[in-house]
Amino acid sequence: MTRIVAGNWKMHHGPPGAADFFSRFVPRVDSIPVRLVFFTPDVALAASIASARVPAEFGVQNIHWEAAGALTGETSAEMAREAGATLALIGHSERRHVFGETDAEVNRKVLAAVRAGLTPVVCVGELLEERRAGRLEEVLRGQVGAFVGSLTGDREFMVAYEPVWAIGTGETATPADAAEAHGIVRKALGELGHAPILYGGSVKPGNAASLMSAHDVDGVLVGGASLDPDVFAGIVEATPSARS
């Protein structure tokens, strides 16, 4: 499986910033055999696609489950697809813990993505207090179980494991931590356990190789470090060769 390196720009980089990013990023990664994915702000999606000049896939950071309606500020999966997105990030920890998104809403968004032909990239992960209470497996199995029934074996999707305590904090799960959590997720997926599972949480050039070498880690979902083209290129350059 080719390793996946995904960047989530969150609320950063409008169209000019996206064009500048790719002008600096592309020369460093043009010949590296990885699967590149970018989750850009909606307003920068078209500019990013036009500026990339390197094989890459693009997705949106959130969708609504309705196809259309009086929902000011929301983007439907169908609209995202029409704008050029092929993936949708769903259930990111910030959506869950800042905006109060529930497991049931995550599942509705997964169904909407599938309906529109987008690849869902579903985020799961535990809070620090949940980990300390020994509830890692309970939390991950619950979050995966909330959406896995909406998918079938012929539908491409990914899961991103995000230990919430390691996002933007400088703290990072060890490769052993990542392997343990990814193993739980893979078992919870059951017959769909072939899906790629990404690790997300303070990934940097210095730890990317060790994290992606851990068992059951198929790639990384990078937040803050994906904003700087040189730092993100360093992560791509550190990617181990594809695993069989």
Side-chain angles (χ1 to χ4, degrees):
M1 178 183 293
T2 301
R3 302 303 177 92
I4 300 164
V5 179
N8 173 21
W9 287 355
K10 306 188 181 186
M11 200 170 70
H12 300 277
H13 292 331
D20 178 67
F21 177 95
F22 285 108
S23 71
R24 297 164 55 193
F25 175 74
V26 169
R28 288 188 55 177
V29 304
D30 193 33
S31 60
I32 300 176
V34 298
R35 183 177 176 185
L36 285 171
V37 177
F38 291 91
F39 294 100
T40 74
D42 289 356
V43 296
L45 179 61
S48 297
I49 293 171
S51 302
R53 297 186 301 280
V54 67
E57 301 166 60
F58 293 88
V60 290
Q61 300 171 13
N62 183 41
I63 54 172
H64 197 276
W65 54 82
E66 295 290 349
L71 297 162
T72 300
E74 296 289 344
T75 298
S76 72
E78 288 79 3
M79 289 176 175
R81 181 76 183 184
E82 290 171 355
T86 58
L87 307 96
L89 198 61
I90 297 173
H92 188 277
S93 61
E94 290 158 8
R95 299 300 313 176
R96 292 178 185 267
H97 300 297
V98 176
F99 296 97
E101 195 165 289
T102 66
D103 284 342
E105 290 171 334
V106 167
N107 185 51
R108 294 179 77 178
K109 292 182 179 187
V110 168
L111 287 168
V114 170
R115 180 183 67 229
L118 296 177
T119 296
V121 181
V122 191
C123 301
V124 300
E126 81 283 9
L127 298 167
L128 180 59
E129 55 265 35
E130 292 169 334
R131 169 170 279 267
R132 286 176 172 169
R135 297 181 57 214
L136 173 65
E137 183 167 357
E138 173 194 343
V139 170
L140 295 184
R141 283 189 172 276
Q143 291 175 344
V144 171
F147 70 84
V148 70
S150 298
L151 297 163
T152 60
D154 60 351
R155 168 59 58 184
E156 184 186 32
F157 71 99
M158 304 180 202
V159 179
Y161 166 64
E162 306 177 301
V164 181
W165 47 272
I167 298 174
T169 64
E171 297 291 331
T172 309
T174 66
D177 291 333
E180 178 189 15
H182 284 223
I184 293 169
V185 171
R186 204 169 294 284
K187 287 180 182 177
L189 289 171
E191 63 181 20
L192 301 182
H194 59 276
I197 305 175
L198 313 181
Y199 170 80
S202 295
V203 179
K204 305 176 183 68
N207 62 26
S210 61
L211 287 166
M212 282 190 274
S213 295
H215 186 63
D216 276 328
V217 177
D218 300 311
V220 289
L221 175 63
V222 186
S226 73
L227 301 178
D228 184 300
D230 295 315
V231 174
F232 195 50
I235 292 172
V236 175
E237 291 167 344
T239 304
S241 59
R243 71 175 75 202
S244 60

